Amino acid sequence: MNKLNPPDLLVRDTYLSCLSDIKGSNIIYKNKMSKILPQIVSQSRLYALRAVVPELHLFSCARHGHGSDNIVDDITKDNLINLYGGYFSKSGTSSRSIYDILRASSNSVCPFCSFGNVTTLDHYLPKARYPLFSVVPDNLVPACAECNKGKGSSILTTIEEQPLHPYFSEAKFYNDIWITAYIEHTCPPSVVYIVEPPTNWDKPSKQRVINHFKDFNLGERFSIQAGLNIQSAVTTVETLLPIIGSEGIKDHFKKIADNEPPNSILGTFNRALARDNWFCAGEASE
């Protein structure tokens, strides 16, 4: 999980950019959408406040389907969603440059899982249920396809259901260790990832990371990725054991872990190796 700075983009500019892309026969739609700019701006300000607390679950959600439902005045759910798909993310529009800036803001690494390649923007509050935030930059997070798909269009009803928000969640979620792993003594060895929130965290925070881990299927996805590195670790032990012994091997893996983000695949993987007497004694090679 990677922390990102909130986008340095004004929702007013983003919204007006989308409106500027509406041409020709869609002028009625453009005029209609321009009337709700004040509501979009005010709701986006409230979004930023609630995202920090976190109380994004307090926003009312739209019904599943029902694209003709009015969301603000005579603006329908479909009107708002179309602003994203028809203009903001569409290739060739001026608004697309804003989309591209947001998508590039995490150096191509998905901040929800910390290892997937970014391919899209995820609506933190799904546009299908919270259409007012369809083109609000604070609600648009660069994401890999799997995390984007994993989150789906679920509504939020509690603090605990809110996944970590890369722009707004507290630093403790990124600085404290809450994912751990252990080595299964199989042939070949395998790695199992689990959630262990710090005991001094409050209950909602603990449940949030448990849900985040589950919703994005991080246990299985991390284990598969770690499996690609296990043979390399076995070879490292075989090479270094005669030279520095098992305690030296533990220090070696610990130093690697210390240079990785606390809850990353590799950081957690190397901490697990450093703790495992069986692995560091070279018994995985036998």
Side-chain angles (χ1 to χ4, degrees), residues 19-37:
L19 296 186
S20 72
D21 285 319
I22 304 174
K23 312 281 187 188
S25 60
N26 290 327
I27 193 66
I28 295 176
Y29 171 60
K30 179 178 180 176
N31 291 337
K32 181 177 172 182
M33 296 300 287
S34 67
K35 294 177 183 175
I36 64 164
L37 175 58

Side-chain angles (χ1 to χ4, degrees), residues 258-286:
D258 289 345
N259 286 319
E260 296 288 338
N263 299 296
S264 66
I265 294 175
L266 287 179
T268 308
F269 173 63
N270 281 283
R271 280 198 303 276
L273 294 177
R275 285 194 305 268
D276 195 288
N277 293 329
W278 174 83
F279 193 89
C280 292
E283 295 185 48
S285 301
E286 298 175 356

Side-chain angles (χ1 to χ4, degrees), residues 9 27 37 47 64 139 166 171 203 220 222 241 247 261:
L9 296 164
I27 193 66
L37 175 58
Y47 180 104
H64 182 69
N139 192 47
K203 190 174 179 179
E220 180 179 344
F222 275 29
L241 191 59
E247 290 304 313

Side-chain angles (χ1 to χ4, degrees), residues 211-232:
N211 291 341
H212 187 101
F213 188 83
K214 178 183 174 184
D215 292 345
F216 292 108
N217 194 26
L218 297 186
E220 180 179 344
R221 294 169 65 199
F222 275 29
S223 291
I224 291 171
Q225 289 294 316
L228 302 176
N229 296 311
I230 197 75
Q231 186 53 50
S232 174

Side-chain angles (χ1 to χ4, degrees), residues 26-102:
N26 290 327
I27 193 66
I28 295 176
Y29 171 60
K30 179 178 180 176
N31 291 337
K32 181 177 172 182
M33 296 300 287
S34 67
K35 294 177 183 175
I36 64 164
L37 175 58
Q39 288 95 326
I40 295 291
V41 171
S42 66
Q43 287 296 293
S44 71
R45 288 173 179 156
L46 183 58
Y47 180 104
L49 294 172
R50 286 181 170 175
V52 172
V53 182
E55 290 182 340
L56 290 175
H57 61 288
L58 298 182
F59 283 114
S60 299
C61 67
R63 294 190 296 172
H64 182 69
H66 298 274
S68 60
D69 281 359
N70 288 340
I71 304 300
V72 180
D73 300 331
D74 62 342
I75 304 297
T76 67
K77 177 177 169 181
D78 281 349
N79 288 153
L80 290 159
I81 291 176
N82 185 49
L83 201 60
Y84 180 83
Y87 302 95
F88 184 73
S89 65
K90 188 176 181 179
S91 297
T93 63
S94 59
S95 313
R96 174 70 190 205
S97 62
I98 302 174
Y99 175 99
D100 291 338
I101 289 171
L102 288 168

Side-chain angles (χ1 to χ4, degrees), residues 2-9 43-56 59 102 111-112 122 124-125 133 136-142 162-174 208:
N2 296 338
K3 179 82 171 161
L4 301 177
N5 292 323
D8 188 18
L9 296 164
Q43 287 296 293
S44 71
R45 288 173 179 156
L46 183 58
Y47 180 104
L49 294 172
R50 286 181 170 175
V52 172
V53 182
E55 290 182 340
L56 290 175
F59 283 114
L102 288 168
F112 289 114
D122 176 75
Y124 183 89
L125 290 182
F133 304 109
V136 171
D138 283 349
N139 192 47
L140 301 172
V141 182
Q162 297 176 58
L164 300 186
H165 198 312
Y167 299 146
F168 296 103
S169 290
E170 292 175 74
K172 69 180 182 184
F173 294 115
Y174 303 93
R208 279 188 79 186

